[in-house]
Amino acid sequence: MALTIRSLTGPEELLSFDHARALAFGHPLRRSIKPGPTMELDRMHLALEGGHVVGTAAAASFTVSLPGGSTTPCAGIRWVSTLPTHRRRGVLSALVRHQLDDFRKRGEAVAVLWASQAAVYTRYGFGLATTSVDTNVTPRAPFLPVIAYDPVHYADTSDLTGLLGPIYRRAQQTRPGLLSRSEGWWQHLTADPETRWVIHQDANGIEGYLAYQPEPEGWTDSGPSQRLHVVELISTTPRAEASLWRFALDLDLTSTITAKRRPTDDALPWMLADVRHARHEHRDGMWLRIIDLPAALTARTLSTVPEAALRIQVADATCPWNDGTWSLGTGTCTRTTAAPDVSLDTADLASCYLGAESLTALAHAGRVVQHTSGGIARLATMLGTDRAPWAVTWF
């Protein structure tokens, strides 16, 4: 039967959407579901075969922070599923292509996602744009003597959105990869009653916040114990960051401290007197897809632009409007018929879009081809950034 893809007609179809997703991921089937603060019904799609739901996909409207402090419209892909009875029949491909066309019409230069199966999305031009670091820290681990920190206090939970939003937006200006947060997203993120919120405040105002969750372990031979989960730690100054970490490390009755989705250039290990008190596990983070190549590359700052424009040949079978050779200059990205300096796949360009730290490794892996001497080094410099890209918002 022919496959039809359309948006939800209203909240009454949420349950059909949710059932299909639950069957695909092995989740419990709910009997009812209400619209949530992060749902955008016109961006939630059903794949139907013979009137039956066989797949789902949705998107959230964001902007993503870029090197240089700018942002660009960004679609956050979520809730993609195919019924187990309909896998390998082109349902996922049809949903992805439908979404990419929709994103382009909306003027979204890039799309991002957290991949349940990473290998699936490379086929559609997604590249690994951030690395996620899970950190385990020894409780009460001492800082180096030169690290200065202050007391902190618990936040007033009556207006967490108004309190935390300005700090997060300031952090966005200095760190690529952070997604914007609407009022609905803040409502969603602050709704869990198990989360405690702590802020650092000085004469300049609030400079950082910590969200954490305690997980009781019961009584041990030495008394009560708990695991501490650092949900999020955002700061705009080094002193605020040190102060919030010091609070987390010194919480009483804590046996284990874990912090997930930290940046690769996290300052914490460099604060510690012994770096072995912080143990790291690296995993793939947020994946990115370039929807509109010239719009995406002109939206971000190119660190150093050579006098002569650099020409890159990009292969993009899924979004053919990106396929071809492009000339990069100061604030420009235009098509050219001249010979390229560098050739690469759109997924590999996406991996370097928020920062080029992976470009040399991609070249050594044979995934980036250099046609002109020094071409890869020039591209790495142009796409470079002072701070590693970081994705912390799970969607």
Side-chain angles (χ1 to χ4, degrees):
M1 291 186 181
L3 194 68
T4 302
I5 298 175
R6 63 166 174 81
S7 301
L8 299 190
T9 57
E12 65 278 359
E13 289 193 313
L14 280 174
L15 195 59
S16 296
F17 183 101
D18 191 66
H19 275 191
R21 189 170 65 94
L23 289 169
F25 285 94
H27 295 166
L29 296 176
R30 292 189 279 188
R31 294 185 178 181
S32 64
I33 184 172
K34 296 180 180 179
T38 68
M39 290 183 181
E40 300 176 54
L41 296 185
D42 66 320
R43 307 202 70 170
M44 299 177 69
H45 294 95
L46 299 174
L48 299 114
E49 185 182 79
H52 299 288
V53 178
V54 297
T56 67
S61 303
F62 296 116
T63 63
V64 61
S65 58
L66 304 176
S70 61
T71 63
T72 193
C74 170
I77 298 175
R78 58 200 308 220
W79 300 334
V80 179
S81 68
T82 302
L83 285 188
T85 54
H86 285 70
R87 287 185 177 138
R88 297 176 181 84
R89 297 191 192 180
V91 176
L92 176 61
S93 293
L95 283 164
V96 170
R97 292 178 190 281
H98 183 89
Q99 283 194 304
L100 295 180
D101 288 337
D102 181 58
F103 300 159
R104 189 185 184 203
K105 292 175 184 176
R106 291 173 180 266
E108 291 165 326
V110 298
V112 293
L113 56 80
W114 296 87
S116 57
Q117 298 181 74
V120 169
Y121 288 97
T122 56
R123 303 202 309 259
Y124 303 108
F126 286 83
L128 178 58
T130 74
T131 298
S132 190
V133 179
D134 294 348
T135 302
N136 291 296
V137 195
T138 304
R140 293 166 291 283
F143 279 173
L144 291 164
V146 296
I147 304 298
Y149 54 91
D150 307 311
V152 297
H153 61 272
Y154 284 98
D156 178 0
T157 56
S158 63
D159 184 24
L160 283 174
T161 301
L163 195 67
L164 307 177
I167 312 169
Y168 184 84
R169 287 192 293 272
R170 286 164 56 197
Q172 254 199 309
Q173 296 171 7
T174 61
R175 173 77 76 168
L178 294 178
L179 299 176
S180 59
R181 291 176 174 175
S182 65
E183 178 76 20
W185 274 99
W186 278 113
Q187 290 176 15
H188 169 71
L189 293 167
T190 58
D192 192 339
E194 298 299 318
T195 303
R196 279 69 162 153
W197 298 87
V198 177
I199 59 173
H200 174 272
Q201 189 168 8
D202 58 19
N204 296 315
I206 299 173
E207 301 287 356
Y209 66 83
L210 161 70
Y212 75 91
Q213 290 185 343
E215 179 188 350
E217 296 180 303
W219 282 77
T220 67
D221 292 340
S222 57
S225 179
Q226 66 181 3
R227 294 176 179 269
L228 182 71
H229 300 280
V230 174
V231 178
E232 190 166 293
L233 192 155
I234 299 286
S235 69
T236 56
T237 67
R239 193 173 184 113
E241 184 141 348
S243 301
L244 293 164
W245 273 121
R246 189 68 266 161
F247 170 83
L249 296 182
D250 289 346
L251 270 173
D252 290 336
L253 311 178
T254 300
S255 64
T256 306
I257 300 171
T258 61
K260 292 188 175 182
R261 295 193 294 276
R262 295 299 301 167
T264 56
D265 59 353
D266 199 352
L268 174 63
W270 304 101
M271 299 178 192
L272 301 175
D274 183 347
V275 295
R276 293 183 180 179
H277 282 305
R279 300 165 300 282
H280 311 287
E281 181 179 354
H282 291 67
R283 63 182 73 235
D284 62 288
M286 189 170 71
W287 293 71
L288 184 143
R289 213 287 177 207
I290 295 175
I291 306 298
D292 185 331
L293 190 146
L297 289 178
T298 54
R300 57 149 294 170
T301 299
L302 299 178
S303 296
T304 302
V305 179
E307 291 183 7
L310 182 74
R311 297 179 298 275
I312 60 171
Q313 184 180 45
V314 179
D316 193 338
T318 304
C319 297
W321 54 85
N322 291 330
D323 194 84
T325 302
W326 300 86
S327 178
L328 301 183
T330 305
T332 63
C333 178
T334 56
R335 284 194 178 276
T336 179
T337 57
D341 300 301
V342 176
S343 297
L344 71 172
D345 186 79
T346 189
D348 296 325
L349 181 60
S351 292
C352 306
Y353 178 66
L354 297 176
E357 59 181 5
S358 60
L359 183 62
T360 303
L362 287 167
H364 279 287
R367 293 168 57 166
V368 180
V369 178
Q370 178 172 272
H371 304 288
T372 303
S373 178
I376 289 176
R378 289 167 62 198
L379 182 58
T381 299
M382 293 173 74
L383 296 178
T385 179
D386 292 337
R387 304 193 75 184
W390 180 29
V392 68
T393 303
W394 184 269
F395 54 90

